[in-house]
Amino acid sequence: MLNILVGGFYGDEGKGKIASYLSLKDSPHIAIRTGSINAGHTVCYNNNKWKIRIIPSAFVNKSTKLMLGPGALTSIAELIKELKETNSEDRFFMDYHVGIITEKEIYEERNDENLMKSVGSTGQGVGYAEAKRILRILKLAKDYPELSKYTIDVPNTLIEEIEKGSEILAEGTQGTYLSLYHGEYPYVTSRNTTSSGILSEIGIGPKYVKDIIIVFKSFVTRVGNGPLEGELNEEEAEKLGLIEIATVTGRKRRVAPFNIKLAKKAIQLNTATQVAITKLDALFKDAYKVREYEKLPSEAKKWIEDLEDQLKVPITLIGTGEDAMDTIDLRKEKLGE
Ligand code: IMP
Ligand code: MG
C-alpha cells in the first residue's frame, strides 16, 4: 500500500523529519519524492545533519529504494551532489519523464522581477522549467545519456511492488497553501502541493492509498510573500524562540501562531487520515527529546488533546527534537496498528 506525507501549511512543517522517522521505523520498500529543488528538507540522525533538496528524506534507511516520480524536476548537478553526500547512488531511480532544470532556467527565473520581488521565489528555476514543460520544450531525464543508469518506468514499478504487498512512502514537498491551485495565488509555487497533486506526480491513482499523513508544525512559518494571519513581528518571534532560517535561500522565516482554521481546511483539501505535529518542544521546552507520550509536560498533553478534538483526525506522530528518532509514535494506541 501507499502512504502519503503532505505539508499542511506553507512548507517547512518538518516533513523531512517525519519521513526519516517513518523510513527507519517502517522500512518502506520504496520512498518516492515529488516536487523539485526549491524545497529544502533537513534530516538529522545519529548526530549527522543533511540538508537536501531533491532526494527522499527516507535515505537514512539504507534498505529503502529512493525514487523520483515523472512529475518531479531536478537539476543534474544538485541530484548528483545529494546522491554522493548521502551515499545512496546505488539505490536511486528516476522516471524517464523527470523534468531537467538547467542553468538557463535558473538564470531566467533570477532575472524575473515579478517572481523574485513580488512572489518571493526561491530562484531555483523550477517555475521556468515547469512552464517550458507545459509548452512542450523542456528536456526530460530520458534526453540525458548520463542519467540512463537511473531511469526507469516509476509508476509501473510502484504498481508492481504494491501488488506484491510492498509498502511505499510518498514524500510530498512544500505545503498546502503554496499550492498553485489551492493556495493563495499568486503567492504560491509552480505545482499542486496537495495529496492529489502528489498522486498525479508519481503516477498512481487513489485506489492504493492507505494513509494520508498531514504534517503541521506547532506554529506557522512562511518564507516569501503573501498573507500570514496573526504574523508576529521579528522581535516577538525571536523572544519566543521561533525564528528559523530557510534551508534553500537562507532567508529568515516569517512566524505566526498555529492556525486552526487553515489546519482544518488543509485536512479537507488533502483528505488527511492522520496528523503529525512537529516541534512540540518549541512551544513546551520540557517536551524536548521526550519519546513517550506519558512523559510530556501536562500542558503539552493538553495542547495536543485540545487540538485533536478540534481537528477530528487522530494525532499519531509528535516531533520533540531534531533527531529522526525524537518522535512520539501513537499509531498503535490510536489506530490499533
Ligand atoms: P518558488 O516555488 O521558488 O517560485 O517560490 C514561490 C513561493 O513558494 C515563495 O514564497 C517561496 O518562498 C515558497 N516556497 C517554495 N518552495 C518552498 C519550500 O520548500 N518551503 C517553503 N516555501 C517554499
Ligand atoms: Mg523546507
Side-chain angles (χ1 to χ4, degrees), residues 90-104:
D90 56 344
R91 56 193 170 104
F92 172 79
F93 304 91
M94 71 204 290
D95 191 81
Y96 297 111
H97 288 181
V98 169
I100 300 301
I101 301 170
T102 70
E103 287 302 319
K104 186 146 192 283

Side-chain angles (χ1 to χ4, degrees), residues 116-137:
M116 295 309 292
K117 294 225 171 81
S118 170
V119 175
S121 285
T122 59
Q124 302 304 310
V126 181
Y128 266 81
E130 196 66 323
K132 288 184 188 179
R133 169 143 61 183
I134 289 168
L135 295 172
R136 273 58 52 87
I137 54 174

Side-chain angles (χ1 to χ4, degrees), residues 10-16 38-42 52 173-174 223 245-248 253:
Y10 300 94
D12 309 310
E13 299 92 352
K15 291 176 297 296
N38 43 2
H41 294 129
T42 305
I52 52 175
T173 53
Q174 304 159 320
V223 280
I245 304 294
T247 315
V248 175
R253 292 183 183 147

Side-chain angles (χ1 to χ4, degrees), residues 1-4 22-23 25-32 63-65 158 160-170 208 210-211 213 274 331 337:
M1 290 300 275
L2 174 71
N3 291 316
I4 299 179
L22 290 175
S23 75
K25 188 73 189 173
D26 300 351
S27 253
H29 188 73
I30 297 169
I32 179 160
S63 67
T64 296
K65 288 193 176 134
L158 295 179
E160 277 182 12
E161 283 301 330
I162 290 171
E163 287 180 346
K164 274 197 271 179
S166 301
E167 201 171 294
I168 316 275
L169 177 65
Y208 294 107
K210 179 165 175 278
D211 273 301
I213 307 167
Q274 295 182 37
R331 290 178 294 170
E337 286 174 0

